Amino acid sequence: MLNGMARWEPGAPDRLQEAAYELYTERGYDATTVAEIAERAGLTKRTFFRHFADKREVLFWRSERVTELVVEAVEGAPADVGPFEAASLGVVAATEFLNDRRPFSQRRHALISANPELQERELIKMARLSGSVAEALRARGVAEVEAAMAAEATMAAFRVGWERWVEPTETRSFTEVAREMLDGLRAVAAA
Amino acid sequence: MLNGMARWEPGAPDRLQEAAYELYTERGYDATTVAEIAERAGLTKRTFFRHFADKREVLFWRSERVTELVVEAVEGAPADVGPFEAASLGVVAATEFLNDRRPFSQRRHALISANPELQERELIKMARLSGSVAEALRARGVAEVEAAMAAEATMAAFRVGWERWVEPTETRSFTEVAREMLDGLRAVAAA
DNA sequence: GCGTCGATGGCACCCAGTGTCATCACCTCG
DNA sequence: CGAGGTGATGACACTGGGTGCCATCGACGC
C-alpha cells in the first residue's frame, strides 16, 4: 500500500487525470510513466488502466460531453435549414461550451501539439465526432454522402478555427472565430 | 541466424512489408507480432525497427509519394485559379495515382478500417498531407487561414470519396468519384 | 589480403497494457 | 452486531512494442 489515505478516497479518475496533467506538463508526455501518474494519485498502475483505456485517453476524458452537445444541436436544428447549416449549429454549440474553458483548452492543446501520438488520438476523436454529426444529419433525412460531406466540412472549419482560437493573440470568442471559418469555407468553396 | 539466404538478400524493407501484409491479412493486425513478421522475411525484430518506426508504419511505407504528387499538382496549378481549385487539382492528382491501384487500396483499406490504431495513423497522415497542401497554397500567395480551409475542405472531399470508391459496388474511377465529392462540397456549402 | 563501412544479429532492458487472484472497505440483511 | 455479498483496489506475472549497445558479417576500395 503506497498511501493509506488514498486507496478509498473517492474520485480516483479525477485524481489520476490531475496527476497526469501535472506530470505531462512538468516532464512531458514521453518522459512520464503510468506508474508515476498512479503513484502521485496514490494508486497503482493497474488501477490507472481500470479507469483509462491507455496512457493517452486520460487527456480526453469526458470529451464525449462535447459530442453529445453537438449531436443534440444538430438534431434540434430547425427542420427547414440545410445540412451545412444544421452541422454548423453543432459546431457553434461546441464552441459555446469551450468558450468558458479557454485556459484549459490552451494547456491541453500545448500538450497535444507537442506529441504525435496525442495528435493521432485527437484526430480520431474528431473523426468520430464527424461521424456522429453525419449520422444525426441522416436521421434528419439527409442523403448519405451529403451528410458525410457536410459533417466533414464543418469539422474542418472547427479544426482550423480551433488552431486559431488557442493562439494567445486571438481575442475573439471561439464562437466568433468558428463563424468566420464557416463563412470562409463557404467563400472558398464558392470561388 | 534464421535463414542463411535472407540476411544479405537485398530489399529488406520490401520483404518486411510483404510479410506484414500477409500476416496482417491472415491473422489480423493485433494477432501478429513484429517478431513473426521479421521471421517470415528472414530477418529479426531489431532489423524491422531499423526500417520502420513502428508496427503500423509498415502499412504506410512510401505513401509520401502521394504527398509529393499532390503538392506538385498544387504548385503547378495555373496562376489564375483560386485556392479551392488549386487544392482540388492536388486531390485529382492523388486519385489518378490511386486509380491503377484499386485492389491494393481495397486490401489496405480493409486492414485499416478493422483497427483503430491504424485508423489513427491514417488520419495523421492525411492531416499532414492537408498541411502540405496548405503550405503549397501559401506559397502561391494564399492567405494563412484561407489556405488551411481550402486544404482541409478538399481533403474532406477526398476522404469521403475514398470511402465510397473502395466500396466493391462502386464502378467509377476514383477521379470521377472525387470530382463528384468536390462538387457536392460546393453545393452543400453554398446551400 | 587488409581495413573500412553499412547492415544485421543478439542481447538486455524499459514500459504499456492485460489476466488473474487476493484483499479491503462498505453495505445489507438477519 | 456479526456474516456474507459486492465492487474497487493491490499485487504479481506475463506478453509484446520499442530502444540502446555492441559484436558480427559481407561488400568494397586499396
Side-chain angles (χ1 to χ4, degrees):
Chain A
M1 185 184 321
L2 294 167
N3 182 341
M5 295 289 94
R7 183 168 182 180
W8 293 106
E9 212 92 28
D14 307 76
R15 278 150 49 210
L16 285 166
Q17 191 194 35
E18 191 177 339
Y21 263 93
E22 288 175 10
L23 287 169
Y24 291 169
T25 304
E26 289 172 18
R27 319 182 185 175
Y29 173 82
D30 285 323
T32 304
T33 70
V34 172
E36 291 169 343
I37 298 170
E39 189 187 6
R40 180 168 296 202
L43 296 165
T44 64
K45 177 187 163 191
R46 192 64 187 85
T47 297
F48 178 95
F49 288 113
R50 284 201 181 91
H51 291 284
F52 303 102
D54 57 50
K55 194 184 167 187
R56 291 173 259 173
E57 202 63 21
V58 64
L59 287 178
F60 299 88
W61 192 41
R62 287 181 169 160
S63 63
E64 324 84 46
R65 182 78 197 108
V66 178
T67 304
E68 291 170 18
L69 286 173
V70 171
V71 169
E72 283 168 21
V74 174
E75 289 172 342
D80 61 330
V81 306
F84 187 82
E85 262 304 303
S88 297
L89 291 175
V91 168
V92 168
T95 63
E96 286 168 353
F97 177 79
L98 292 166
N99 266 331
D100 311 333
R101 296 164 172 77
R102 195 158 112 108
F104 176 78
S105 297
Q106 286 174 320
R107 181 169 159 172
R108 188 164 160 286
H109 179 265
L111 285 175
I112 292 175
S113 63
N115 189 292
E117 296 180 43
L118 297 175
Q119 291 168 34
E120 291 186 343
R121 182 54 52 87
E122 170 130 297
L123 286 167
I124 202 171
K125 295 282 182 189
M126 285 206 183
R128 292 200 201 291
L129 176 53
S130 172
S132 299
V133 169
E135 195 184 328
L137 288 174
R138 287 188 206 106
R140 288 168 54 91
V142 180
E144 285 283 333
V145 174
E146 207 177 356
M149 279 307 316
E152 288 274 351
T154 49
M155 283 303 301
F158 177 82
R159 252 198 305 277
V160 176
W162 174 274
E163 290 290 332
R164 184 105 182 168
W165 177 61
V166 292
E167 218 62 48
T169 58
E170 180 60 63
T171 58
R172 295 170 294 170
S173 74
F174 192 6
T175 310
E176 280 180 89
V177 175
R179 281 197 196 282
E180 178 188 312
M181 296 304 157
L182 289 164
D183 291 343
L185 175 56
R186 277 206 160 91
V188 155
Chain B
M1 184 186 326
L2 295 167
N3 182 341
M5 295 288 95
R7 181 167 183 180
W8 293 105
E9 212 91 27
D14 307 77
R15 278 152 47 212
L16 286 167
Q17 190 193 37
E18 190 178 338
Y21 263 93
E22 289 173 8
L23 287 168
Y24 290 170
T25 304
E26 291 171 18
R27 320 182 185 175
Y29 173 82
D30 285 323
T32 304
T33 71
V34 173
E36 290 169 344
I37 298 171
E39 188 187 6
R40 180 167 297 201
L43 296 166
T44 64
K45 174 187 164 189
R46 191 69 189 80
T47 297
F48 178 95
F49 287 112
R50 283 202 182 89
H51 291 285
F52 303 102
D54 57 49
K55 193 185 166 187
R56 292 173 259 175
E57 202 62 20
V58 64
L59 287 178
F60 299 88
W61 192 43
R62 284 180 172 161
S63 63
E64 325 82 48
R65 181 79 197 107
V66 177
T67 304
E68 291 170 17
L69 287 172
V70 171
V71 169
E72 284 168 20
V74 174
E75 288 172 343
D80 61 331
V81 305
F84 186 82
E85 263 304 305
S88 297
L89 290 174
V91 168
V92 167
T95 63
E96 285 168 354
F97 177 78
L98 293 166
N99 267 331
D100 311 332
R101 296 164 172 78
R102 194 159 113 108
F104 176 78
S105 297
Q106 286 173 322
R107 181 170 159 173
R108 190 165 159 285
H109 180 264
L111 285 175
I112 292 174
S113 62
N115 190 292
E117 296 179 43
L118 297 174
Q119 291 169 34
E120 291 186 344
R121 183 55 50 87
E122 171 129 296
L123 285 168
I124 203 172
K125 295 284 180 188
M126 286 206 183
R128 292 200 199 291
L129 176 52
S130 172
S132 298
V133 169
E135 194 183 331
L137 289 173
R138 288 188 204 105
R140 288 168 55 90
V142 180
E144 285 283 333
V145 173
E146 207 177 355
M149 281 304 319
E152 288 275 350
T154 50
M155 283 304 300
F158 177 81
R159 251 198 305 276
V160 177
W162 173 274
E163 291 289 332
R164 183 106 183 166
W165 176 61
V166 292
E167 219 62 47
T169 59
E170 180 60 62
T171 58
R172 295 170 295 171
S173 74
F174 192 5
T175 310
E176 282 180 88
V177 174
R179 282 197 195 283
E180 177 188 313
M181 295 304 155
L182 289 163
D183 290 343
L185 175 56
R186 277 204 159 91
V188 155

